[in-house]
Amino acid sequence: MIGALKAGAPREALAYGRGALAGQVPDPGGEARALLAIAAGVARAGLSGLDDKDFSDNVMARYGTLIVRRKAGTPLSHLRGTRDFYKHTFKVTPDVLDPRADTEVLVEAALGGPIERVLDLGTGSGCVLLSLLAERGGVQGVGADISQAALEVARENAKALGVCARARFVHSDWLDGIEGRFDLIVSNPPYISLADYQELMIDVRGFEPRIALTDEGDGLSVYRLLCAQAGGYLTDLGRFIVEIGFDQGAAVQDIFDAAGFTEIQCLSDIEGRNRVVSGVWVGGKAVI
């Protein structure tokens, strides 16, 4: 039992953690170390700078609780309260989708062209929008989400990154509450089909907002909705860029084409899987 471990015994604590997490997570040793660092209130690399006396009874008790929660499937990022994404660290909670490295492809694609005014639909933690604003100093952005709790997290992240003056957050069911036009619209919508959602790992299905993961249908309904409406919010030659599932490239490109987008492209992630579809809108009004 973790309670049997004594204060000032970090090596024994790590050995316990490795054993407790074995078969539960891909890297039990690494995660045990990460959890002990969280319990001690330091970065993982900072463990080596601590003395045995820094591992008090309270630290060990917190560590034990973290082990139990991780075994139950709670994501490591939720236990830490943050997730690194692109070039920054973002606050995360169970109210937002956990930022993933795959979504960095969306950011890179957006940065591949000019940006003056960007709209992020389903902004969640704000990781995509805020990464763009941090990279491009003159850009103004709007983050929209149906979840007020998610918008609060995004606002906190905007403050932490120092871009509050250029970021506005709107409570909106996709485009329903949006006004104006943008030269870039981005979105990482819920694209997991209902059937595939049932097969997700427990640390995803049990702890991340369902509304951000699945459309409760075939995984393509939000693309149909947004492509049908996005032209009314894009400037002439404005870009629309979305993240997709690895097997949705052809289907989403067809949806873009049917909606009238041009220069449609499908980009891959670092593992060569389809990850982003982009298109250009011709005929939009200029921003006044």
Side-chain angles (χ1 to χ4, degrees):
M1 292 177 58
I2 193 69
L5 291 175
K6 298 178 181 179
R11 294 170 184 80
E12 289 85 347
L14 288 173
Y16 169 84
R18 285 194 299 270
L21 295 173
Q24 306 290 318
V25 299
D27 180 15
E31 292 211 11
R33 188 175 179 84
L35 294 175
L36 187 58
I38 295 169
V42 299
R44 179 170 164 174
L47 278 179
S48 59
L50 299 180
D51 297 322
D52 286 357
K53 62 181 175 59
D54 294 311
F55 297 93
S56 65
D57 287 332
N58 287 338
V59 168
M60 292 302 190
R62 286 196 295 271
Y63 179 62
T65 299
L66 292 169
I67 290 286
V68 171
R69 292 180 63 193
R70 186 66 184 110
K71 286 183 67 176
T74 305
L76 189 60
S77 59
H78 288 187
L79 298 175
R80 185 185 293 114
T82 62
R83 167 78 100 164
D84 291 339
F85 175 83
Y86 200 61
K87 299 179 181 180
H88 306 281
T89 299
F90 291 87
K91 175 180 178 179
V92 295
T93 74
D95 295 308
V96 301
L97 194 67
D98 201 349
R100 291 167 170 81
D102 290 340
T103 306
E104 294 180 1
V105 179
L106 178 59
V107 175
E108 293 286 1
L111 292 171
I115 313 171
E116 294 183 5
R117 192 160 185 254
V118 55
L119 169 64
D120 181 16
L121 295 170
T123 195
S125 66
C127 65
V128 172
L129 174 67
L130 301 177
S131 293
L132 295 176
L133 298 189
E135 287 295 299
R136 299 282 178 87
V139 173
Q140 302 285 326
V142 175
D145 207 292
I146 196 171
S147 167
Q148 290 281 18
L151 291 172
E152 286 304 312
V153 175
R155 290 187 182 100
E156 290 187 46
N157 283 323
K159 183 177 180 180
L161 266 65
V163 297
C164 287
R166 295 185 287 117
R168 184 167 64 91
F169 296 98
V170 178
H171 183 234
S172 177
D173 185 359
W174 297 118
L175 286 156
D176 286 352
I178 304 302
E179 297 179 351
R181 290 187 181 260
F182 306 82
D183 62 337
L184 173 66
I185 298 177
V186 295
S187 184
N188 178 15
Y191 57 72
I192 299 172
S193 70
L194 181 58
D196 288 342
Y197 177 80
Q198 307 299 336
E199 303 300 321
L200 291 177
M201 298 290 290
I202 187 60
D203 59 351
V204 176
R205 180 164 46 86
F207 294 90
E208 297 192 55
R210 179 170 179 145
I211 194 172
L213 292 166
T214 179
D215 67 349
E216 307 292 344
D218 65 355
L220 297 170
S221 65
V222 180
Y223 299 117
R224 298 186 189 100
L225 171 70
L226 296 184
C227 281
Q229 298 180 5
Y233 299 85
L234 283 167
T235 61
D236 189 33
L237 302 182
R239 297 178 296 151
F240 182 36
I241 309 177
V242 297
E243 182 172 332
I244 64 171
F246 73 93
D247 58 352
Q248 295 175 320
V252 176
Q253 287 180 91
D254 287 345
I255 294 170
F256 268 59
D257 183 59
F261 286 91
T262 64
E263 299 182 38
I264 301 167
Q265 300 181 66
C266 185
L267 306 177
S268 299
D269 60 26
I270 194 170
E271 296 183 10
R273 300 170 300 188
N274 290 342
R275 186 54 60 191
V276 163
V277 168
S278 66
V280 174
W281 185 254
V282 178
K285 297 179 181 178
V287 176
I288 298 175

